[in-house]
Amino acid sequence: MIRFNNDYNHGAHPAVLEAIARSNSESFPGYGTDGACQEVAGLICELTNAPEAAVHFLVGGTQANCTLIGHALRPWESAVSATCAHINVHETGAVERSGHKIQTACDVQGKLTAHALREIAEAYRDSGVQEHITKPRLAFISSPSEYGTIYRRSELEELRAVCDQFGMYLVADGARMAYGLGAGTADVTLADFAELTDAFWIGGTKCGALFGEALVVSNPALDEGFRASIKQNGALLAKGWLLGVQFKALLENGLYFALGRKADEQAMRIKGAFAAVGIPLLVDSPTNQQFAVLTEGEAAALGERFLFEPEGTTAQGGRIARFCTSWSTTDGEVDALVTAVAKLGRR
Amino acid sequence: MIRFNNDYNHGAHPAVLEAIARSNSESFPGYGTDGACQEVAGLICELTNAPEAAVHFLVGGTQANCTLIGHALRPWESAVSATCAHINVHETGAVERSGHKIQTACDVQGKLTAHALREIAEAYRDSGVQEHITKPRLAFISSPSEYGTIYRRSELEELRAVCDQFGMYLVADGARMAYGLGAGTADVTLADFAELTDAFWIGGTKCGALFGEALVVSNPALDEGFRASIKQNGALLAKGWLLGVQFKALLENGLYFALGRKADEQAMRIKGAFAAVGIPLLVDSPTNQQFAVLTEGEAAALGERFLFEPEGTTAQGGRIARFCTSWSTTDGEVDALVTAVAKLGRR
Amino acid sequence: MIRFNNDYNHGAHPAVLEAIARSNSESFPGYGTDGACQEVAGLICELTNAPEAAVHFLVGGTQANCTLIGHALRPWESAVSATCAHINVHETGAVERSGHKIQTACDVQGKLTAHALREIAEAYRDSGVQEHITKPRLAFISSPSEYGTIYRRSELEELRAVCDQFGMYLVADGARMAYGLGAGTADVTLADFAELTDAFWIGGTKCGALFGEALVVSNPALDEGFRASIKQNGALLAKGWLLGVQFKALLENGLYFALGRKADEQAMRIKGAFAAVGIPLLVDSPTNQQFAVLTEGEAAALGERFLFEPEGTTAQGGRIARFCTSWSTTDGEVDALVTAVAKLGRR
Amino acid sequence: MIRFNNDYNHGAHPAVLEAIARSNSESFPGYGTDGACQEVAGLICELTNAPEAAVHFLVGGTQANCTLIGHALRPWESAVSATCAHINVHETGAVERSGHKIQTACDVQGKLTAHALREIAEAYRDSGVQEHITKPRLAFISSPSEYGTIYRRSELEELRAVCDQFGMYLVADGARMAYGLGAGTADVTLADFAELTDAFWIGGTKCGALFGEALVVSNPALDEGFRASIKQNGALLAKGWLLGVQFKALLENGLYFALGRKADEQAMRIKGAFAAVGIPLLVDSPTNQQFAVLTEGEAAALGERFLFEPEGTTAQGGRIARFCTSWSTTDGEVDALVTAVAKLGRR
């Protein structure tokens, strides 16, 4: 079976693994105070054009999200996200576990809109019973979203404007950042994220690292005490250099961006294959996740050789199937899938 | 101004105040271990036909809900409620503060349906990724609901059946229990609530008491450690007898039920008055809360003499106005409102 | 049996009960937004000489403490208290339930010393591993303490100085404030508390009210969102005016202070009686709580007619017995106890 | 500088790194559902003689402790530990963050005694005010302890007996399990831990792994919902197989135990070196951590070439210095330290 079911089914890009192996003969101070972490933090500040940003390395995405949100919010404040957001549907209530409500807005193709965010902020402002409801204080987005769509710079600016008007933080989950930046239609860079959000993270786990995410806190007010929050959430890796050397390997020579572009190109081939035979896509995703709407027969046919992720059914009964490429996907694997899709021949 | 804005704008029924005054010359042991609390707990067990139920007295409703839910759930479990439920929209995230997500289902006239509850339970069961989502473990209802509607015995039985099938608790918020029991269309008694829920509470604050709610835990498994949870939530009243003597005054001679019936009858007069002039009601409420859909002019006209609660607007721009009767509403006040409504003369 | 076991075994001073009764014919807006609460808040600002302080009314002491502490602290911060502090030993972990560690220091006669507080603050500052330990951010004291002792102005100034140096809040639990202010040796007033703490509360439950505590937040930075925290903790009384009218009755004519002085004088008579017969007191308390160290025989003899609170044994096996006076204690009751103690005749 | 400052300053044993590298060409299902995790879980069940135990793999120790404790306890329950326990002093209040108080008992050479545990359990049982205090429900130990001492089988049996009598869980932190098992005086095995505790973990991070801990839940009642708790705590590694292959490499051929024995032998050489020159050890540790009490001059002399961990001062002003060996310590490094210590020549 060829795995297109997710983008975390292989270990690490060889360059990352080699970096870890090279570090194995050295000794380091603990908890991310080592030179590798400091060096790559500096590199990230350059790449994001945010010299005063703080960079923290965490092991996983749920950890990054719930640590950051639990840190940022006061007890009576809530996070706002699209209904489909990972924090709302796939993190076992980790944000609520930290004491905070998530207020959800219907997503538009997986994205939180500035319009929806404004409505929630205005509803709070105009409620007249502020002490009876939580204060929306942090807008959470993922780019790429759960449906592979990405925020354009204008959309981030609009969200930022609402956040500025209502005193909210804007936070971006970048679990698939490489695939977002690598999209053909992308018009944002890491520097845009640093400029327009208060904090965001650059995903490693799904983008070539063995594990790990680099959290960039671009708003200094959010950084006070943050290392203590990381530790308190059980998220301060003792051997922090393992994260530093991985991100150094990924970022110092542009590997991270190249991996993202390549996987997106592969995904575009898959997208094109579906389109060519008239199989609809659930959303118009420019990134490594493609959601095809299959018939039962098509799902069965592709399922003989490929692993993909069932994502429920459409109102018309179509079977939504997610196909992911990743840094580890080979051209041969894509060829095989494209060929198999072509044979489905709906047209 | 005559207050129809809510059902907690007056102190207490005179009989309740007299009971407190009578107790003022005595001394008591603290924290609800006194004779008055024990006596009325026994009375409640009789009224609910639940000899083994535990009865606890708390000061307020938000306190009762969040203490009970936080006590009942394990960390990875969630509560299920209608979207409009008080715990979801008017308790400042108290349930989330205790660490738990609320999963919401669209309400039908303010009520959680067995169908919606089953869908949520089945979605969890069938998800295949149970560790990534919270387990729906407790169904929360209010009867009367936020819209004044009440659950019929058949509806409670259906909810109970779903809870039994999926291992969930059923909990009922009875902030307005007197008005629910007193409704002309009601077919449930306190005994039905004790039989069909795991815990429910008999509201005092809105139903004739100075303050206080009587929480009936009919499922003994839920009661272990519950007094510790009450204390931990800052909800164990030092002078617990104040709650005991109030509920004794309300319950020992049927006063509680009489107050509810009377306020419902008054509400039916108001409902009739709106209907008579063709002013629509948002829902068909048989209890003390009536939601009229007014024009701007009508709202202004009634607003000159009466306080009522604005509850937003309908899609068509109608102004939703809540009018509450209560144990303290006089016939004269209702006469005045009925007369004023008749003068609106929409027809 | 005559109750000296605690100071919350009777209802309310008649003037308080009358105030509640008088309010019963009126109607009010809810949640403490009424005129009575506003009026007495103004009066408290005058009494505390703190025109910009915010005053909030809560029902009970555990509620006041855990709401305030949970509100004030960021997740990685902790409270510091004497080991014997109520929040550490008698509130069922309510502070921890809100997510915060309590760091304890050995008390000196029930009190937290500036020296001990400084040691904890310096240990954190000098630890070199700040992210691995919680940040001591709030010093919690009770005056009178659990042992009836009170803080002198110089002691409060010393604590304040440490708090200022290390960026900590100073918070005072005043459950027995009336008895502290009324002590013959007292050199502080409400204005001193407002000046030297960030927040403190004026206890009603144990000092003549039916129930309720008045929380004075003298540091405006602590007040942001506080009403939301009150509601979130289930501590926002729907009929808030009940608290307002009680504190008005207690404070507008000095009744509160008179009640405290009287109970303290009664306690001094009891203290004198023990001393006269050579029965040692555990601490030198100038307030309404006296801790006698009895023999088994003495405890049995007094126990025939009086209720008192056993508080463990001394290292030498003496039985520590707490005798409380309160606003409700009659001179006749004190006479009876004094006579009984005299008969013990240890000398 | 030669690092004796801790036991997590190097990457991984080569066999572990090779296992990770080997896995890099394969693809796996996520979240620990892969074959490697299952295989090594089976192996651990064999080694612990606990066929029905559940085995979970987590990334770090703080994570393992706070996830397990937060999972096991109901809201009103507390953990009991020695004052020096890692959860009490070096995890930034992670247990309290999960809502639970830690009740501490003075340690005896780093260990919680059955006597102290019993006193806490009896104090709760006999308090008469159970609802005002938290219920001690889980005894937490570390073996080796923070001071390198280990529990003997008889000590574990005594703790187990107290836990059984009072309905408490016994949980063991095994961050340095290899060094505990490898001690010359050790009389316990993994099977003893599985038999006598409800849950314990086998540390990888400090014992040869790149990262990771294997948590053995030997009490099935504790395992319900545990994977959800792991995820909720942000502790469910997406690429779970990375943990599986590491523990397989460590455990399948006894490498784990050999590494522990070797490091302990090295530590005994260091211990002997200190003793030979009359430098006292703080405690009699049979494992990889040795705490020498140095003079300022000795500390300075050793500090020129060796990194060690300052651990405060003794009452007499001695400088406590922790020297750790680990799986990565070379004989040459130990030779160098032994030689340097010999030159100190206090005698």
Side-chain angles (χ1 to χ4, degrees), chain B residues 48-93:
Chain B
T48 56
N49 196 25
E52 299 188 356
V55 180
H56 304 277
F57 299 98
L58 290 91
V59 168
T62 294
Q63 202 177 74
N65 286 336
C66 74
T67 300
L68 179 61
I69 294 173
H71 176 85
L73 296 180
R74 304 293 299 275
W76 63 95
E77 297 173 344
S78 49
V80 179
S81 77
T83 303
C84 66
H86 205 259
I87 57 167
N88 191 45
V89 294
H90 281 113
E91 300 188 357
T92 325

Short mmCIF file of all heavy atoms in Angstrom, two decimals, chain B residues 48-93:
data_model
loop_
_atom_site.label_atom_id
_atom_site.label_comp_id
_atom_site.label_asym_id
_atom_site.label_seq_id
_atom_site.Cartn_x
_atom_site.Cartn_y
_atom_site.Cartn_z
N THR B 48 -39.70 13.41 45.70
CA THR B 48 -39.12 12.88 44.46
C THR B 48 -39.22 11.36 44.41
O THR B 48 -38.77 10.76 43.42
CB THR B 48 -37.64 13.26 44.33
OG1 THR B 48 -36.95 12.80 45.50
CG2 THR B 48 -37.47 14.77 44.23
N ASN B 49 -39.77 10.79 45.46
CA ASN B 49 -39.88 9.33 45.51
C ASN B 49 -38.52 8.68 45.30
O ASN B 49 -38.39 7.69 44.60
CB ASN B 49 -40.88 8.85 44.46
CG ASN B 49 -41.33 7.41 44.72
OD1 ASN B 49 -41.29 6.95 45.87
ND2 ASN B 49 -41.73 6.73 43.67
N ALA B 50 -37.51 9.28 45.89
CA ALA B 50 -36.13 8.80 45.69
C ALA B 50 -35.46 8.72 47.05
O ALA B 50 -34.65 9.57 47.41
CB ALA B 50 -35.38 9.75 44.77
N PRO B 51 -35.79 7.70 47.82
CA PRO B 51 -35.31 7.65 49.20
C PRO B 51 -33.79 7.64 49.31
O PRO B 51 -33.26 8.05 50.34
CB PRO B 51 -35.92 6.34 49.73
CG PRO B 51 -36.35 5.56 48.54
CD PRO B 51 -36.66 6.56 47.47
N GLU B 52 -33.10 7.22 48.28
CA GLU B 52 -31.64 7.13 48.38
C GLU B 52 -30.93 8.30 47.71
O GLU B 52 -29.70 8.31 47.61
CB GLU B 52 -31.16 5.81 47.80
CG GLU B 52 -31.77 4.63 48.58
CD GLU B 52 -31.18 3.30 48.17
OE1 GLU B 52 -30.35 3.28 47.24
OE2 GLU B 52 -31.55 2.30 48.81
N ALA B 53 -31.69 9.25 47.26
CA ALA B 53 -31.06 10.42 46.63
C ALA B 53 -30.33 11.24 47.68
O ALA B 53 -30.69 11.25 48.86
CB ALA B 53 -32.11 11.27 45.94
N ALA B 54 -29.27 11.91 47.26
CA ALA B 54 -28.59 12.87 48.11
C ALA B 54 -29.06 14.26 47.72
O ALA B 54 -29.24 14.55 46.53
CB ALA B 54 -27.08 12.75 47.92
N VAL B 55 -29.30 15.09 48.72
CA VAL B 55 -29.76 16.45 48.46
C VAL B 55 -28.72 17.43 48.98
O VAL B 55 -28.26 17.32 50.12
CB VAL B 55 -31.12 16.72 49.14
CG1 VAL B 55 -31.59 18.15 48.85
CG2 VAL B 55 -32.15 15.70 48.66
N HIS B 56 -28.31 18.35 48.13
CA HIS B 56 -27.34 19.38 48.52
C HIS B 56 -27.93 20.75 48.21
O HIS B 56 -28.63 20.91 47.22
CB HIS B 56 -26.04 19.20 47.73
CG HIS B 56 -25.42 17.85 47.87
ND1 HIS B 56 -24.63 17.49 48.93
CD2 HIS B 56 -25.50 16.74 47.10
CE1 HIS B 56 -24.22 16.23 48.80
NE2 HIS B 56 -24.75 15.75 47.69
N PHE B 57 -27.61 21.71 49.06
CA PHE B 57 -28.14 23.05 48.85
C PHE B 57 -27.01 23.99 48.45
O PHE B 57 -25.99 24.09 49.15
CB PHE B 57 -28.82 23.54 50.13
CG PHE B 57 -29.97 22.68 50.54
CD1 PHE B 57 -29.81 21.69 51.51
CD2 PHE B 57 -31.21 22.81 49.92
CE1 PHE B 57 -30.86 20.87 51.87
CE2 PHE B 57 -32.28 21.98 50.28
CZ PHE B 57 -32.10 21.00 51.26
N LEU B 58 -27.20 24.67 47.34
CA LEU B 58 -26.20 25.64 46.86
C LEU B 58 -26.86 27.00 46.70
O LEU B 58 -28.08 27.11 46.69
CB LEU B 58 -25.60 25.18 45.54
CG LEU B 58 -24.69 23.94 45.66
CD1 LEU B 58 -25.48 22.67 45.46
CD2 LEU B 58 -23.55 24.01 44.67
N VAL B 59 -26.03 28.01 46.58
CA VAL B 59 -26.56 29.37 46.59
C VAL B 59 -27.12 29.79 45.24
O VAL B 59 -28.12 30.50 45.17
CB VAL B 59 -25.47 30.36 47.05
CG1 VAL B 59 -25.87 31.81 46.78
CG2 VAL B 59 -25.19 30.15 48.53
N GLY B 60 -26.48 29.38 44.13
CA GLY B 60 -26.92 29.88 42.84
C GLY B 60 -26.81 28.85 41.73
O GLY B 60 -26.24 27.76 41.91
N GLY B 61 -27.34 29.22 40.58
CA GLY B 61 -27.48 28.28 39.50
C GLY B 61 -26.20 27.99 38.74
O GLY B 61 -25.88 26.84 38.44
N THR B 62 -25.45 29.02 38.40
CA THR B 62 -24.18 28.80 37.72
C THR B 62 -23.29 27.91 38.58
O THR B 62 -22.64 26.98 38.10
CB THR B 62 -23.50 30.15 37.44
OG1 THR B 62 -24.29 30.88 36.51
CG2 THR B 62 -22.10 29.97 36.87
N GLN B 63 -23.30 28.23 39.87
CA GLN B 63 -22.56 27.43 40.85
C GLN B 63 -23.00 25.97 40.82
O GLN B 63 -22.18 25.06 40.83
CB GLN B 63 -22.89 28.04 42.20
CG GLN B 63 -21.95 27.80 43.30
CD GLN B 63 -22.43 28.55 44.54
OE1 GLN B 63 -23.39 28.16 45.19
NE2 GLN B 63 -21.73 29.62 44.86
N ALA B 64 -24.31 25.76 40.82
CA ALA B 64 -24.81 24.39 40.82
C ALA B 64 -24.38 23.66 39.56
O ALA B 64 -23.91 22.52 39.61
CB ALA B 64 -26.34 24.40 40.95
N ASN B 65 -24.53 24.32 38.43
CA ASN B 65 -24.19 23.66 37.16
C ASN B 65 -22.70 23.34 37.05
O ASN B 65 -22.31 22.22 36.73
CB ASN B 65 -24.60 24.54 35.98
CG ASN B 65 -26.10 24.55 35.77
OD1 ASN B 65 -26.80 23.62 36.17
ND2 ASN B 65 -26.61 25.61 35.17
N CYS B 66 -21.86 24.33 37.33
CA CYS B 66 -20.44 24.07 37.08
C CYS B 66 -19.85 23.16 38.15
O CYS B 66 -18.94 22.38 37.87
CB CYS B 66 -19.64 25.35 36.88
SG CYS B 66 -19.32 26.32 38.33
N THR B 67 -20.37 23.22 39.36
CA THR B 67 -19.90 22.29 40.39
C THR B 67 -20.27 20.85 40.02
O THR B 67 -19.43 19.95 40.08
CB THR B 67 -20.50 22.65 41.76
OG1 THR B 67 -20.10 23.98 42.11
CG2 THR B 67 -20.04 21.68 42.83
N LEU B 68 -21.49 20.67 39.60
CA LEU B 68 -21.95 19.32 39.27
C LEU B 68 -21.24 18.77 38.04
O LEU B 68 -20.76 17.63 38.04
CB LEU B 68 -23.47 19.35 39.03
CG LEU B 68 -24.11 18.02 38.66
CD1 LEU B 68 -23.92 16.99 39.77
CD2 LEU B 68 -25.59 18.22 38.38
N ILE B 69 -21.14 19.57 37.01
CA ILE B 69 -20.52 19.07 35.77
C ILE B 69 -19.02 18.83 35.98
O ILE B 69 -18.49 17.80 35.57
CB ILE B 69 -20.80 20.06 34.61
CG1 ILE B 69 -22.30 20.08 34.32
CG2 ILE B 69 -19.99 19.68 33.37
CD1 ILE B 69 -22.74 21.13 33.32
N GLY B 70 -18.36 19.76 36.65
CA GLY B 70 -16.94 19.58 36.92
C GLY B 70 -16.68 18.36 37.79
O GLY B 70 -15.64 17.71 37.69
N HIS B 71 -17.64 18.05 38.65
CA HIS B 71 -17.51 16.88 39.53
C HIS B 71 -17.74 15.58 38.76
O HIS B 71 -17.06 14.58 39.00
CB HIS B 71 -18.55 17.00 40.64
CG HIS B 71 -18.60 15.83 41.57
ND1 HIS B 71 -17.76 15.72 42.65
CD2 HIS B 71 -19.36 14.71 41.57
CE1 HIS B 71 -18.03 14.59 43.29
NE2 HIS B 71 -18.98 13.96 42.64
N ALA B 72 -18.68 15.61 37.86
CA ALA B 72 -19.10 14.36 37.21
C ALA B 72 -18.13 13.88 36.15
O ALA B 72 -17.95 12.68 35.97
CB ALA B 72 -20.48 14.55 36.57
N LEU B 73 -17.51 14.81 35.47
CA LEU B 73 -16.72 14.44 34.29
C LEU B 73 -15.28 14.13 34.62
O LEU B 73 -14.66 14.78 35.45
CB LEU B 73 -16.79 15.57 33.26
CG LEU B 73 -18.16 15.89 32.67
CD1 LEU B 73 -18.05 17.03 31.67
CD2 LEU B 73 -18.78 14.66 32.02
N ARG B 74 -14.71 13.17 33.94
CA ARG B 74 -13.27 12.94 33.93
C ARG B 74 -12.66 13.91 32.92
O ARG B 74 -13.37 14.44 32.04
CB ARG B 74 -12.98 11.48 33.55
CG ARG B 74 -13.66 10.44 34.44
CD ARG B 74 -13.13 10.43 35.87
NE ARG B 74 -11.73 10.10 35.93
CZ ARG B 74 -11.24 8.86 35.95
NH1 ARG B 74 -12.06 7.84 35.95
NH2 ARG B 74 -9.94 8.65 36.02
N PRO B 75 -11.35 14.14 33.02
CA PRO B 75 -10.77 15.22 32.22
C PRO B 75 -11.06 15.17 30.72
O PRO B 75 -11.21 16.21 30.08
CB PRO B 75 -9.27 15.09 32.50
CG PRO B 75 -9.19 14.50 33.86
CD PRO B 75 -10.36 13.56 33.96
N TRP B 76 -11.12 14.00 30.16
CA TRP B 76 -11.27 13.89 28.70
C TRP B 76 -12.73 13.83 28.26
O TRP B 76 -13.01 13.59 27.10
CB TRP B 76 -10.52 12.65 28.21
CG TRP B 76 -11.06 11.36 28.74
CD1 TRP B 76 -11.96 10.54 28.14
CD2 TRP B 76 -10.76 10.77 30.01
NE1 TRP B 76 -12.23 9.47 28.95
CE2 TRP B 76 -11.51 9.57 30.10
CE3 TRP B 76 -9.93 11.12 31.08
CZ2 TRP B 76 -11.45 8.74 31.24
CZ3 TRP B 76 -9.87 10.29 32.20
CH2 TRP B 76 -10.62 9.12 32.26
N GLU B 77 -13.64 14.07 29.18
CA GLU B 77 -15.06 13.96 28.85
C GLU B 77 -15.69 15.35 28.71
O GLU B 77 -15.23 16.32 29.30
CB GLU B 77 -15.76 13.16 29.94
CG GLU B 77 -15.24 11.71 30.02
CD GLU B 77 -15.80 10.91 31.18
OE1 GLU B 77 -16.35 11.52 32.13
OE2 GLU B 77 -15.67 9.67 31.15
N SER B 78 -16.78 15.40 27.95
CA SER B 78 -17.44 16.67 27.67
C SER B 78 -18.92 16.59 28.00
O SER B 78 -19.49 15.51 28.14
CB SER B 78 -17.25 17.04 26.20
OG SER B 78 -17.57 15.95 25.37
N ALA B 79 -19.52 17.77 28.11
CA ALA B 79 -20.95 17.88 28.29
C ALA B 79 -21.60 18.17 26.94
O ALA B 79 -20.97 18.76 26.06
CB ALA B 79 -21.28 19.00 29.27
N VAL B 80 -22.84 17.76 26.79
CA VAL B 80 -23.60 18.04 25.57
C VAL B 80 -24.81 18.88 25.96
O VAL B 80 -25.49 18.57 26.94
CB VAL B 80 -24.09 16.72 24.91
CG1 VAL B 80 -24.89 17.03 23.65
CG2 VAL B 80 -22.92 15.81 24.60
N SER B 81 -25.05 19.93 25.23
CA SER B 81 -26.23 20.76 25.51
C SER B 81 -26.76 21.37 24.23
O SER B 81 -26.11 21.32 23.18
CB SER B 81 -25.86 21.88 26.49
OG SER B 81 -25.17 22.92 25.81
N ALA B 82 -27.94 21.94 24.34
CA ALA B 82 -28.44 22.78 23.26
C ALA B 82 -27.55 24.01 23.15
O ALA B 82 -26.98 24.46 24.15
CB ALA B 82 -29.88 23.17 23.52
N THR B 83 -27.43 24.55 21.95
CA THR B 83 -26.60 25.73 21.74
C THR B 83 -27.02 26.88 22.65
O THR B 83 -26.17 27.62 23.15
CB THR B 83 -26.69 26.18 20.27
OG1 THR B 83 -26.30 25.09 19.45
CG2 THR B 83 -25.77 27.36 20.00
N CYS B 84 -28.30 27.01 22.88
CA CYS B 84 -28.80 28.12 23.69
C CYS B 84 -28.69 27.88 25.19
O CYS B 84 -29.11 28.71 25.98
CB CYS B 84 -30.25 28.41 23.34
SG CYS B 84 -31.36 27.05 23.79
N ALA B 85 -28.14 26.75 25.60
CA ALA B 85 -28.13 26.39 27.03
C ALA B 85 -27.38 27.44 27.85
O ALA B 85 -26.38 27.99 27.41
CB ALA B 85 -27.49 25.03 27.22
N HIS B 86 -27.89 27.65 29.04
CA HIS B 86 -27.30 28.64 29.95
C HIS B 86 -25.82 28.37 30.16
O HIS B 86 -25.00 29.29 30.14
CB HIS B 86 -28.04 28.61 31.29
CG HIS B 86 -27.97 29.89 32.06
ND1 HIS B 86 -27.11 30.09 33.11
CD2 HIS B 86 -28.65 31.06 31.89
CE1 HIS B 86 -27.28 31.32 33.58
NE2 HIS B 86 -28.20 31.93 32.88
N ILE B 87 -25.44 27.11 30.33
CA ILE B 87 -24.02 26.80 30.53
C ILE B 87 -23.18 27.19 29.33
O ILE B 87 -21.99 27.46 29.47
CB ILE B 87 -23.78 25.30 30.85
CG1 ILE B 87 -24.32 24.39 29.74
CG2 ILE B 87 -24.34 24.92 32.20
CD1 ILE B 87 -23.83 22.94 29.85
N ASN B 88 -23.79 27.23 28.17
CA ASN B 88 -23.02 27.55 26.97
C ASN B 88 -22.94 29.04 26.70
O ASN B 88 -21.95 29.52 26.15
CB ASN B 88 -23.61 26.84 25.74
CG ASN B 88 -22.70 26.92 24.53
OD1 ASN B 88 -21.50 26.70 24.64
ND2 ASN B 88 -23.26 27.23 23.38
N VAL B 89 -23.96 29.78 27.09
CA VAL B 89 -24.00 31.18 26.67
C VAL B 89 -24.05 32.22 27.78
O VAL B 89 -23.83 33.39 27.53
CB VAL B 89 -25.19 31.44 25.71
CG1 VAL B 89 -24.98 30.68 24.42
CG2 VAL B 89 -26.51 31.05 26.36
N HIS B 90 -24.31 31.82 29.00
CA HIS B 90 -24.46 32.85 30.04
C HIS B 90 -23.74 32.53 31.34
O HIS B 90 -24.12 33.05 32.39
CB HIS B 90 -25.94 33.12 30.31
CG HIS B 90 -26.56 34.01 29.29
ND1 HIS B 90 -27.52 33.58 28.41
CD2 HIS B 90 -26.31 35.31 28.96
CE1 HIS B 90 -27.88 34.58 27.61
NE2 HIS B 90 -27.15 35.62 27.92
N GLU B 91 -22.76 31.66 31.30
CA GLU B 91 -22.06 31.36 32.55
C GLU B 91 -20.56 31.62 32.41
O GLU B 91 -19.75 31.05 33.12
CB GLU B 91 -22.39 29.93 33.01
CG GLU B 91 -23.89 29.76 33.24
CD GLU B 91 -24.31 28.44 33.88
OE1 GLU B 91 -23.45 27.58 34.11
OE2 GLU B 91 -25.52 28.29 34.16
N THR B 92 -20.20 32.52 31.51
CA THR B 92 -18.82 32.99 31.36
C THR B 92 -17.82 31.83 31.27
O THR B 92 -16.72 31.89 31.83
CB THR B 92 -18.44 33.92 32.54
OG1 THR B 92 -19.56 34.69 32.93
CG2 THR B 92 -17.33 34.89 32.14
N GLY B 93 -18.23 30.80 30.59
CA GLY B 93 -17.29 29.70 30.40
C GLY B 93 -16.96 28.94 31.67
O GLY B 93 -15.86 28.37 31.79
#
